[in-house]
């Protein structure tokens, strides 16, 4: 057996999945359980070779790890005398990336067993499979984007299978930021602190008491959000790159130093704060930051009205976010007002503190797409510190309806066909300019409908049934956005 990092995760894969196969086939006749270790080992080899082939580079480090891991395992006798040069270009590796494009029979078998017996065996495959994928990507000093994309695609395929197994599970939660713009309140279950609450006492931004959440759990939660497919893909690439660098650091290998600061662009209500909350936790899990709290702030929380007060205000917000993430919403407003505006002083202080605390915290700046270009040009040091821009598109009408339905599921309300039709009419008629509120607009429409529903039930009198109390009709929906004003 080998002794390298790939060998360790392959061993865990074989041991765990051999056991899972035994549980899945318990009680079945005519099953050759003696072949399970060899069959699972073949699965691990196929996955490892496919990941090595994902970027078509086939480096010596990758091929040596493959030989070191599988030459002494069942079925690996043909590898015993092989060399990296002999493997390169050969059928054992060349073209094997196609394996990733198809559902695994082993994974499907475990899914079927889970459905029959109420077990969670396929979860083991999901976790161990991604362990192997990340380790293979970590064998190169700089993982190729094709490798990271392959991991993201593999994860998506496996998660789709898990969702088919759990059809009753609610997916697509409404973005929390649709209800909580900066300054609206103090924090939430993710440990976020708003601009209004991140005041003088940085001590109040205490470290999370819960242990860091597993990376795959956080990415699965991200995937459950409605829409945002391109955003999810970018976040997956960022997270997988950081995981690979973490694995390299654990083995004393050189890692690529990159800036973790981000620019989020797009209209309001498109999930920017929600994704930032998850990213803050992902960064904590991967060791980029220590605590992972999110501090939300806007211009009002950074810019004072008098000379000498702005820099301390900015420092206070950085103190609150130390060890986590500072999310600056509508950051472009700091660049407006001319040379004498105190927003310029805030930008200068932000640049200074980002440099001073570059190893301790992450800054995300957000706002409209065109206006954020002006912000990045406001100081010579800004653009270089924000190398990654993630664009958040507007939601489609179908996605907004799904968000409304998920809001209803949470609060035990159901939109009937008439209510859905009315909601679609209102959303289609609303101007899709910069002022379009996306998920925030849907939340406003939903809350307005709940109020109208309550008035309708009270006016009708009598003893309402449970159906009366939980069903929203077209009568409860505003006929236009203007009716919400």
């Amino acid at each position: 057996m080998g002794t390298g990092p790939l060998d360790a995760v392959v061993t865990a894969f074989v041991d765990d999945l051999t056991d899972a196969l035994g549980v899945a086939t318990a009680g079945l006749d005519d099953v050759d359980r003696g072949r399970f270790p060899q069959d699972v080992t073949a699965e691990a080899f196929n996955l490892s070779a496919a990941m090595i082939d994902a970027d078509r580079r086939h480096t010596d480090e990758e091929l040596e790890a493959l030989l070191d891991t599988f030459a002494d395992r069942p079925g690996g006798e043909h590898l015993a005398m092989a060399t990296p040069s002999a493997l390169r270009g050969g059928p054992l590796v060349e073209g094997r990336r196609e394996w990733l494009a198809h559902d695994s029979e082993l994974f499907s078998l475990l899914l079927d067993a889970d459905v029959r017996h109420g077990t969670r065996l396929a979860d083991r495959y999901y976790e161990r499979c991604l362990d192997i994928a990340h380790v293979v990507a970590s064998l190169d000093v700089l993982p190729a984007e094709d490798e990271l994309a392959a991991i993201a695609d593999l994860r998506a395929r496996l998660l789709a299978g898990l969702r088919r197994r759990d059809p009753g599970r609610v997916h697509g939660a409404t973005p929390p930021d649709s209800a909580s713009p900066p300054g609206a309140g103090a924090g939430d279950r993710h440990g976020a602190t708003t601009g209004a609450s991140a005041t003088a006492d940085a001590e109040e931004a205490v470290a999370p008491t819960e242990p860091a959440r597993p990376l795959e759990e956080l990415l699965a939660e991200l995937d459950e959000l409605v829409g945002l497919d391109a955003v999810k893909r970018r976040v997956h690439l960022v997270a997988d790159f950081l995981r690979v660098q973490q694995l390299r650091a654990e083995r004393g290998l050189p890692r690529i130093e990159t800036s973790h600061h981000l620019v989020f662009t797009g209209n309001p209500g498109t999930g920017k704060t929600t994704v930032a909350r998850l990213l803050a936790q992902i960064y904590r899990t991967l060791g980029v930051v220590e605590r992972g709290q999110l501090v939300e702030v806007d211009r009002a929380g950074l810019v004072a009205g008098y000379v000498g007060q702005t820099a301390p205000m900015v420092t206070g917000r950085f103190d609150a976010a130390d060890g986590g993430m500072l999310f600056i919403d509508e950051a472009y407003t700091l660049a407006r007002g001319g040379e004498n505006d105190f927003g310029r002083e805030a930008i200068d202080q932000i640049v200074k503190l980002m440099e001073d605390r570059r190893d301790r915290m992450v800054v995300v700046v957000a706002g409209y797409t065109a206006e954020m270009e002006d912000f990045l040009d406001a100081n010579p040091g800004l653009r270089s510190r924000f190398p990654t821009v993630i664009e958040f598109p507007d939601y489609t009408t179908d996605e907004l309806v799904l968000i409304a339905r998920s809001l209803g599921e949470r609060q035990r309300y159901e939109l009937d066909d008439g209510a859905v039709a009315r909601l679609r009419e209102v959303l289609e008629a609303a101007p899709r300019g910069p002022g379009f509120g996306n998920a925030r607009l849907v939340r406003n429409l939903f809350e307005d409908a709940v109020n109208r529903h309550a008035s309708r039930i009270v006016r009708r009198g009598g003893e309402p049934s449970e159906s009366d109390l939980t069903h929203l009709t077209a009568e409860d929906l505003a006929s236009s956005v203007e009716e919400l004003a």
Side-chain angles (χ1 to χ4, degrees):
M1 293 287 182
T3 58
L6 181 59
D7 181 75
V9 290
V10 166
T11 297
F13 182 95
V14 172
D15 291 347
D16 213 3
L17 273 299
T18 298
D19 177 71
L21 267 180
V23 174
T25 58
L28 298 179
D29 297 328
D30 300 324
V31 175
D32 184 3
R33 293 177 176 81
R35 284 191 54 84
F36 285 176
Q38 184 170 339
D39 292 341
V40 176
T41 299
E43 183 89 355
F45 180 86
N46 288 333
L47 171 61
S48 300
M51 281 301 306
I52 289 173
D53 190 46
D55 62 359
R56 302 171 176 83
R57 292 192 295 190
H58 308 165
T59 65
D60 283 349
E61 290 78 9
E62 292 172 330
L63 297 176
E64 286 171 357
L66 192 70
L67 293 171
D68 179 65
T69 300
F70 291 98
D72 294 330
R73 293 180 183 272
E77 296 81 7
H78 59 296
L79 299 174
M81 301 302 292
T83 63
S85 59
L87 283 184
R88 187 175 292 109
L92 287 178
V93 178
E94 186 72 30
R96 296 303 290 270
R97 59 186 175 278
E98 294 300 322
W99 186 88
L100 297 170
H102 305 285
D103 291 333
S104 158
E105 291 185 11
L106 173 56
F107 182 61
S108 297
L109 187 154
L110 297 176
L111 282 175
D112 291 342
D114 287 345
V115 172
R116 291 196 307 271
H117 305 303
T119 51
R120 311 287 295 183
L121 301 174
D123 290 36
R124 300 193 201 177
Y125 186 100
Y126 172 81
E127 294 165 4
R128 297 305 187 191
C129 181
L130 288 166
D131 285 344
I132 290 177
H134 280 123
V135 166
V136 171
S138 76
L139 297 174
D140 292 330
V141 175
L142 179 63
E145 186 166 329
D146 284 345
E147 283 181 303
L148 300 179
I151 295 174
D153 291 342
L154 176 62
R155 180 186 290 110
R157 181 179 296 278
L158 296 177
L159 283 175
L162 296 180
R163 290 189 180 96
R164 290 194 299 271
R165 182 194 64 187
D166 304 320
R169 182 179 176 188
V170 177
H171 300 289
T174 303
D177 66 336
S178 66
S180 303
D188 67 6
R189 69 182 179 90
H190 295 294
T193 307
T194 64
S197 62
T199 51
D201 295 326
E203 296 83 11
E204 293 183 5
V206 295
T209 56
E210 303 85 3
R213 296 170 61 191
L215 174 64
E216 296 307 328
E217 177 183 308
L218 292 165
L219 292 176
E221 183 174 330
L222 172 74
D223 287 342
E224 290 169 9
L225 298 175
V226 172
L228 304 176
D229 291 342
V231 172
K232 293 171 185 175
R233 189 168 185 83
R234 289 297 303 275
V235 173
H236 276 287
L237 290 175
V238 170
D240 287 328
F241 176 83
L242 293 174
R243 174 59 179 147
V244 168
Q245 294 302 306
Q246 182 186 51
L247 288 170
R248 292 183 61 82
E250 289 171 358
R251 299 198 298 274
L253 297 172
R255 55 188 296 175
I256 303 299
E257 296 299 330
T258 61
S259 172
H260 305 300
H261 307 302
L262 300 163
V263 179
F264 287 178
T265 62
N267 289 332
T270 48
K272 294 188 290 293
T273 308
T274 299
V275 172
R277 289 189 181 109
L278 286 170
L279 260 175
Q281 295 179 73
I282 288 170
Y283 282 153
R284 181 192 177 202
T285 296
L286 297 178
V288 175
V289 297
E290 182 179 356
R291 297 188 292 171
Q293 79 280 17
L294 179 76
V295 173
E296 301 174 53
V297 70
D298 56 14
R299 178 186 168 95
L302 296 171
V303 179
Y306 300 96
V307 175
Q309 294 183 345
T310 292
M313 285 183 68
V314 174
T315 301
R317 302 308 183 266
F318 270 76
D319 289 344
D322 211 324
M325 178 180 287
L326 180 64
F327 182 89
I328 305 176
D329 200 13
E330 298 181 342
Y332 58 86
T333 61
L334 298 174
R336 294 180 173 177
E339 293 296 327
N340 296 323
D341 183 76
F342 293 126
R344 299 283 175 165
E345 181 183 351
I347 292 174
D348 293 342
Q349 185 70 358
I350 288 169
V351 172
K352 177 181 183 303
L353 292 174
M354 286 176 66
E355 179 63 25
D356 293 345
R357 308 185 189 194
R358 61 184 179 277
D359 297 326
R360 291 156 44 188
M361 61 180 291
V362 174
V363 177
V364 175
V365 292
Y368 296 115
T369 302
E371 285 81 349
M372 289 305 295
E373 284 294 313
D374 295 336
F375 169 75
L376 294 176
D377 289 335
N379 182 290
L382 275 177
R383 193 173 292 275
S384 64
R385 286 174 171 79
F386 291 100
T388 302
V389 179
I390 300 180
E391 174 73 26
F392 285 69
D394 285 340
Y395 289 106
T396 66
T397 297
D398 286 343
E399 290 168 346
L400 292 171
V401 169
L402 184 56
I403 288 172
R405 287 187 181 276
S406 69
L407 278 171
E409 289 174 0
R410 285 168 156 190
Q411 305 299 326
R412 290 292 308 278
Y413 284 98
E414 182 178 343
L415 283 74
D416 68 13
D417 291 343
V420 170
R422 172 67 64 83
L423 177 61
R424 285 185 178 278
E425 291 175 5
V426 173
L427 293 173
E428 292 289 351
R432 294 291 181 110
F436 182 69
N438 285 285
R440 294 181 189 176
L441 172 59
V442 168
R443 179 176 287 276
N444 291 339
L445 286 165
F446 175 79
E447 292 177 348
D448 181 73
V450 168
N451 290 330
R452 291 169 184 257
H453 166 266
S455 297
R456 175 170 62 82
I457 295 297
V458 171
R459 285 197 310 271
R460 191 179 67 181
E463 187 68 23
S465 66
E466 181 173 327
S467 179
D468 292 331
L469 293 172
T470 58
H471 278 72
L472 301 178
T473 69
E475 183 181 350
D476 301 321
L477 269 290
S479 59
S480 69
V481 174
E482 288 73 20
E483 284 190 19
L484 296 176

